[in-house]
């Protein structure tokens, strides 16, 4: 249990957040992990610690603001997904598994960059002795519920995949992304979403993704074409949501994926043309109409007299 209060540093009036952790064991644990992630990009930084008059540990943290992930332009989806992958890459390289990568544990700094927060459930790689809690329902990787589970970075990749799916919902139709993050989602639901994502990618790319350097060639969605970058996003999402942890990419692989690279490299940013939220909304409606027609035609039966 903890509580957050806000104040300022008296020397220069810098706004600060004060997190009081009630349980001393939890306080020691979280403080230890925050010290281990010192200097990492897109990760919350511990500024100081002290004890209050009740001998409770207080963590001094920078003031952040809630990250708005609704109605994002696709290039911003790519940018935030890349920043989250960068944060995970940093902590995984220090043998830390966050264990609770969720929308509620993402904040933004003054420059609107993503910041991963709350290491209260974190653990060390393959250390099951301190894995006391599974995380947040809807974001928990399937293997967490298996006997003899040991934490690996792939747990965090799954949670990041759920977040990516939530951000991509306006851009990918007919794949049930609206269910991601729901507390009642099970592995069978996720597997159904993956199957639909793979079908979406296959239809849009004539059944293939063809690597051509750092970009892909692509086909048309039966007359209603989606930009190449949308299919790349769907492919990455499918990989991150795999129910078998070994089939999920590492954070490093995510950072090198074409969907992430496109927002990082100026020469590739033209791939996002037409994918701002407002412009894409009309195209999305057309794709939804096509999807309904496709499903309707597949259910028809034809016979000869």
């Amino acid at each position: 249990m903890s509580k957050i209060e806000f104040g300022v540093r008296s020397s220069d009036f810098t706004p600060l957040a004060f997190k009081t952790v009630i349980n001393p064991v939890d306080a020691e644990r979280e403080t230890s992990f925050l010290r281990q992630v010192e200097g990492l990009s897109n990760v919350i930084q511990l500024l100081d610690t002290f004890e209050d008059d009740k001998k409770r540990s207080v963590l001094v943290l920078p003031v952040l603001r809630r990250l708005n992930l609704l109605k994002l332009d696709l290039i911003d989806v790519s940018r935030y997904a890349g920043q989250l992958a960068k944060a995970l890459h940093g902590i995984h390289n220090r043998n830390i598994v966050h264990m609770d990568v969720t929308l509620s544990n993402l904040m933004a700094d003054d420059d609107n960059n993503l910041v991963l927060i709350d290491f209260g459930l974190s653990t060390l790689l393959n250390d099951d002795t301190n894995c006391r809690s599974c995380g947040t329902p809807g974001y928990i990787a399937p293997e967490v519920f298996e006997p003899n589970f040991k934490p690996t970075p792939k747990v965090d990749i799954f949670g990041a995949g759920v977040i990516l799916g939530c951000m991509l919902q306006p851009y990918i139709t007919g794949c049930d992304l609206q269910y991601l993050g729901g507390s009642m989602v099970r592995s069978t639901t996720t597997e159904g979403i993956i199957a639909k994502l793979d079908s979406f990618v296959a239809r849009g790319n004539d059944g293939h993704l063809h690597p051509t350097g750092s970009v892909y060639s692509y086909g048309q969605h039966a007359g209603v074409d989606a930009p190449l970058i949308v299919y790349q996003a769907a492919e990455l999402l499918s990989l991150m949501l795999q129910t078998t942890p070994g089939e999920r990419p590492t954070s490093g692989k995510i950072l090198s994926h074409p969907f992430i690279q496109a927002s990082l490299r100026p020469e590739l940013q033209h791939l996002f043309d037409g994918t701002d939220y407002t412009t894409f909304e009309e195209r999305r409606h057309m794709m939804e109409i096509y999807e309904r027609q496709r499903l309707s035609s597949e259910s028809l039966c034809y016979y000869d007299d």
Side-chain angles (χ1 to χ4, degrees):
M1 255 184 97
S2 62
K3 67 175 182 177
I4 303 290
E5 299 173 292
F6 297 94
V8 296
R9 187 162 51 204
S10 58
S11 60
D12 58 6
F13 300 101
T14 298
L16 297 171
F18 301 92
K19 181 176 182 178
T20 304
V21 185
I22 309 301
N23 186 307
V25 175
D26 292 342
E28 182 179 357
R29 177 183 176 80
E30 185 167 2
T31 301
S32 172
F33 280 111
L34 285 172
R35 286 176 174 153
Q36 292 180 65
V37 301
E38 181 180 359
L40 292 180
S41 299
N42 302 109
V43 177
I44 186 74
Q45 296 294 295
L46 180 66
L47 303 178
D48 200 0
T49 63
F50 64 90
E51 287 188 346
D52 65 10
D53 53 2
K54 296 181 179 179
K55 300 297 182 181
R56 299 177 302 187
S57 293
V58 180
L59 313 182
V60 184
L61 305 165
V63 172
L64 302 169
R65 57 184 179 79
R66 186 61 58 188
L67 185 64
N68 181 15
L69 297 178
L70 297 176
K71 298 182 178 181
L72 293 175
D73 295 343
L74 192 58
I75 192 171
D76 291 326
V77 174
S78 171
R79 184 170 69 90
Y80 284 136
Q83 289 179 351
L84 178 54
K86 187 175 182 180
L88 294 178
H89 190 62
I91 69 171
H92 294 164
N93 280 343
R94 297 186 183 183
N95 294 322
I96 296 171
V97 183
H98 188 278
M99 291 297 298
D100 197 24
V101 179
T102 69
L103 284 170
S104 61
N105 282 335
L106 301 181
M107 301 288 281
D109 63 17
D110 290 339
D111 296 320
N112 205 33
N113 292 312
L114 177 147
V115 179
L116 177 64
I117 68 167
D118 197 347
F119 283 76
L121 297 181
S122 297
T123 188
L124 294 175
L125 180 65
N126 290 321
D127 180 9
D128 57 352
T129 59
N130 291 316
C131 192
R132 301 165 299 165
S133 180
C134 289
T136 301
Y139 296 83
I140 304 171
E143 65 269 19
V144 174
F145 300 106
E146 295 177 357
N148 304 316
F149 163 72
K150 290 184 180 295
T152 74
K154 299 301 181 74
V155 172
D156 293 341
I157 299 301
F158 185 87
V162 174
I163 292 170
L164 177 60
C166 293
M167 293 192 289
L168 287 174
Q169 187 178 336
Y171 296 93
I172 299 175
T173 62
C175 294
D176 294 336
L177 300 190
Q178 70 273 16
Y179 295 123
L180 289 174
S183 60
M184 300 302 292
V185 170
R186 299 293 181 264
S187 291
T188 51
T189 310
T190 305
E191 288 167 356
I193 291 172
I194 292 169
K196 290 183 177 182
L197 285 167
D198 292 344
S199 178
F200 174 85
V201 172
R203 290 197 309 273
N205 294 275
D206 296 329
H208 300 281
L209 284 173
H210 305 287
T212 54
S214 58
V215 297
Y216 292 166
S217 61
Y218 74 110
Q220 287 195 332
H221 202 116
V224 183
D225 65 319
L228 156 67
I229 200 71
V230 173
Y231 298 122
Q232 292 177 339
E235 186 216 24
L236 176 59
L237 177 58
S238 174
L239 292 172
M240 294 174 69
L241 291 177
Q242 293 296 314
T243 55
T244 301
E247 295 177 0
R248 291 177 216 139
T250 63
S251 52
K253 290 289 187 181
I254 294 170
L255 286 169
S256 65
H257 190 275
F259 177 64
I260 304 301
Q261 285 293 307
S263 62
L264 296 175
R265 298 170 56 180
E267 71 272 19
L268 296 178
Q269 290 181 5
H270 69 277
L271 294 171
F272 291 100
D273 290 351
T275 63
D276 60 278
Y277 181 84
T278 302
T279 301
F280 195 84
E281 199 167 16
E282 182 176 350
R283 175 176 280 173
R284 176 170 57 84
H285 290 321
M286 294 294 294
M287 293 175 69
E288 288 173 347
I289 292 171
Y290 161 75
E291 181 69 11
R292 287 195 294 269
Q293 291 174 340
R294 185 186 68 82
L295 293 175
S296 176
S297 66
E298 287 180 355
S299 65
L300 293 176
C301 294
Y302 298 92
Y303 66 94
D304 295 326
D305 290 334

